[in-house]
């Protein structure tokens, strides 16, 4: 439950800030997710971190992917528990 709440807040921050500012929020989300074994969310968050400086035009699409992966992960977690 804590992960869901914290990750949702980070997603809101990532969506509402500029691509260059999204790096810090994506970094936090990547670490949280990877520590819990939610690897696809972690990978996409790391992709956002890279793109925020190298290819900022890719960030909006990556954020959409991140949202879908996050929702899918929550569904899988709920199925297990």
């Amino acid at each position: 439950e804590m992960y869901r709440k914290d990750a949702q807040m980070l997603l809101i921050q990532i969506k509402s800030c500029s691509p260059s500012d999204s790096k810090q929020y994506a970094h936090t989300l990547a670490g949280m997710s990877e520590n819990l074994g939610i690897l696809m969310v972690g990978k996409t968050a790391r992709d956002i971190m890279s793109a925020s400086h190298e290819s900022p035009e890719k960030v909006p699409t990556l954020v959409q992917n991140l949202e879908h992966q996050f929702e899918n992960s929550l569904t899988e977690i709920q199925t297990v528990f």
Side-chain angles (χ1 to χ4, degrees):
E1 187 62 27
M2 287 177 51
Y3 169 78
R4 183 186 62 77
K5 288 179 183 178
D6 291 345
Q8 284 176 329
M9 291 303 296
L10 289 167
L11 278 169
I12 289 168
Q13 294 296 331
I14 291 168
K15 287 171 45 177
S16 64
C17 69
S18 68
S20 62
D21 291 336
S22 65
K23 184 177 182 176
Q24 68 185 30
Y25 301 113
H27 176 77
T28 302
L29 181 58
M32 287 172 38
S33 300
E34 291 166 350
N35 283 337
L36 293 173
I38 306 169
L39 302 180
M40 289 302 297
V41 172
K43 180 193 178 313
T44 303
R46 292 201 181 279
D47 290 344
I48 290 170
M49 291 169 53
S50 297
S52 68
H53 292 290
E54 298 168 7
S55 308
E57 71 280 358
K58 293 181 180 180
V59 171
T61 301
L62 290 168
V63 170
Q64 287 179 335
N65 292 343
L66 181 63
E67 287 183 291
H68 292 295
Q69 291 166 350
F70 176 69
E71 291 300 324
N72 289 340
S73 295
L74 288 181
T75 301
E76 290 177 21
I77 291 168
Q78 289 173 345
T79 301
V80 171
F81 293 104

